[in-house]
Amino acid sequence: MARSRRSRTLLSRALGLGWLLCIPGGVLWALSPLGVYLSEYRYKTPEVFWKLFPSAPLLLVLGIVGLYAHLFALRGRRAGGLERVGFAVAVLGGLLTVAGDVGKFYVRLDDIYLMSAPAYRTMRVGLVLVCGGALLFGFGVARERRVALAGALPFAVGSLGGLISVVRDYGPVGEAMWVMFGVGWAWLGLVVLVGEARRLIRERRTPGKRGRVNAGQTSI
């Protein structure tokens, strides 16, 4: 019984800190245009980048799951409609993106089904959903002040840019909006990290007083 309780505690702590993965996931996503350039044009190995790309959406999925747990599940708070829908859509989109990438560049499904290209289509749908879901989630947490506006609004704006970039090709402008999407995730994670660090410092300085319950409440 004690071991089971200890395991649940460790799992809860790990889940509650999962939002930290938004930072490396966002950085990897923002650097992906550079990865495409190096892989396709510098070293003439285009598939190398796309075989490594799933790490970015996978980290984003784990990050938003951790953030959702940090904001709601572990605090016994109920998420709003936009937050619930956005979270579910973003997670589904991230998983579809990973599945489509693996299907195309590892399993080679599109080499078998040339006309239907199921892996490529799955990946495209996943990219649209992860950006659209993040947009809804960002506006939801901004409206309800779940996260400091300094983090939530750039996240939502970056998600809008990411959605535009995957729906239609705008060349260099689209690449910039793609980068904005990744930067928004990384910035959100950093704002929550700074806010949580300040809350812990306040609690240590004034024992018995709890910090504000909203994440990332910081003057940034």
Side-chain angles (χ1 to χ4, degrees), residues 124 128 161-170:
R124 290 282 299 179
V128 172
L163 181 61
I164 294 172
S165 71
V166 300
V167 169
R168 189 169 179 179
D169 183 8
Y170 287 101

Side-chain angles (χ1 to χ4, degrees), residues 113-189:
Y113 305 99
L114 291 174
M115 299 300 293
S116 58
Y120 173 76
R121 294 177 186 274
T122 299
M123 186 175 175
R124 290 282 299 179
V125 170
L127 288 170
V128 172
L129 291 181
V130 72
C131 294
L135 177 62
L136 294 177
F137 185 80
F139 276 121
V141 296
R143 185 182 65 179
E144 301 296 331
R145 300 296 193 275
R146 308 292 194 184
V147 176
L149 289 178
L153 285 181
F155 174 73
V157 172
S159 299
L160 177 60
L163 181 61
I164 294 172
S165 71
V166 300
V167 169
R168 189 169 179 179
D169 183 8
Y170 287 101
V173 176
E175 289 183 6
M177 289 189 287
W178 177 282
V179 171
M180 280 174 52
F181 181 65
V183 170
W185 282 82
W187 179 251
L188 176 67

Side-chain angles (χ1 to χ4, degrees), residues 44-66:
K44 310 299 181 182
T45 53
E47 290 198 0
V48 170
F49 167 78
W50 291 110
K51 285 183 175 181
L52 297 175
F53 176 71
S55 58
L58 185 59
L59 285 174
L60 296 186
V61 167
L62 295 175
I64 198 171
V65 168

Side-chain angles (χ1 to χ4, degrees), residues 12 15 19 23 25 29 51-52 63 66 80 88 116 126 155 158 168 172 174 182 185 190 203 205 209 211:
S12 298
L15 186 60
W19 52 268
I23 300 173
W29 189 288
K51 285 183 175 181
L52 297 175
S116 58
F155 174 73
R168 189 169 179 179
W185 282 82
L190 286 172
E203 288 181 356
R205 288 178 177 174
K209 265 191 170 182

Side-chain angles (χ1 to χ4, degrees), residues 189-204:
L190 286 172
V191 168
V192 175
L193 177 61
V194 171
E196 291 299 297
R198 290 183 174 181
R199 179 181 62 81
L200 290 174
I201 291 172
R202 284 197 303 267
E203 288 181 356
R204 288 190 176 184

